[in-house]
Amino acid sequence: NWRLRQSGKKVWFEPGLVASYKPRSTLKELAVQYFDYGRWRRHVIRVHPRSIKWRQLIPPFNMVLFFTGAILGFLWTPIFIFPAAYLLAVFSLTAAKSKTLKDFIYLIVIFPAMHFSWAAGFLRGIKN
């Protein structure tokens, strides 16, 4: 879409378009999917630097803050605020989105897996 808009073309929304999606059956498959999404997003940004959106930098930035806070928090306790804030946000949003206890248990694992996998893929990028 970005390349089309940059070349002066229009991107149309077609409500009649049907697409199928196959949910991943394991957490590992989901993590690999999001890792690859992150890697390829980094590639697109390398090829088209002006296509980056600030929201695409949030997952890798969050991951760095989370793990830095988790490790350095043992040396300077206030830095634990970064992983604690992330965990609180995930817990709160998961609780708000879950209709059942089963949903909550799945989502409390799935959301961080998606976030950290995408971020790790983005930080690694595609090796040329």
Side-chain angles (χ1 to χ4, degrees), residues 51-68:
S51 72
I52 192 159
K53 306 281 186 269
W54 69 269
R55 65 183 168 81
Q56 295 162 340
L57 298 176
I58 292 172
F61 184 68
N62 174 62
M63 188 172 95
V64 169
L65 281 177
F66 182 90
F67 287 107
T68 300

Side-chain angles (χ1 to χ4, degrees), residues 3-127:
R3 290 186 302 233
L4 287 170
R5 287 192 304 264
Q6 288 303 111
S7 66
K9 307 262 189 315
K10 288 187 178 184
V11 177
W12 293 89
F13 172 70
E14 174 54 53
L17 182 68
V18 176
S20 63
Y21 175 77
K22 177 190 169 274
R24 302 307 182 251
S25 56
T26 68
L27 189 62
K28 181 179 178 182
E29 289 176 356
L30 181 71
V32 168
Q33 174 187 6
Y34 274 80
F35 183 84
D36 288 342
Y37 284 167
R39 287 176 59 224
W40 283 105
R41 184 63 202 144
R42 174 79 175 265
H43 176 75
V44 169
I45 290 168
R46 187 179 302 124
V47 174
H48 303 285
R50 293 184 9 225
S51 72
I52 192 159
K53 306 281 186 269
W54 69 269
R55 65 183 168 81
Q56 295 162 340
L57 298 176
I58 292 172
F61 184 68
N62 174 62
M63 188 172 95
V64 169
L65 281 177
F66 182 90
F67 287 107
T68 300
I71 294 166
L72 296 180
F74 291 104
L75 302 174
W76 189 55
T77 308
I79 204 163
F80 269 130
I81 191 72
F82 295 117
Y86 174 77
L87 293 173
L88 180 62
V90 168
F91 183 87
S92 301
L93 293 171
T94 301
K97 296 287 182 189
S98 300
K99 293 181 177 139
T100 66
L101 178 60
K102 183 179 176 182
D103 287 350
F104 178 81
I105 292 168
Y106 282 140
L107 293 175
I108 201 76
V109 174
I110 288 170
F111 287 149
M114 291 168 58
H115 298 156
F116 290 129
S117 296
W118 193 95
F122 184 87
L123 290 172
R124 181 176 183 276
I126 299 292
K127 302 294 182 195

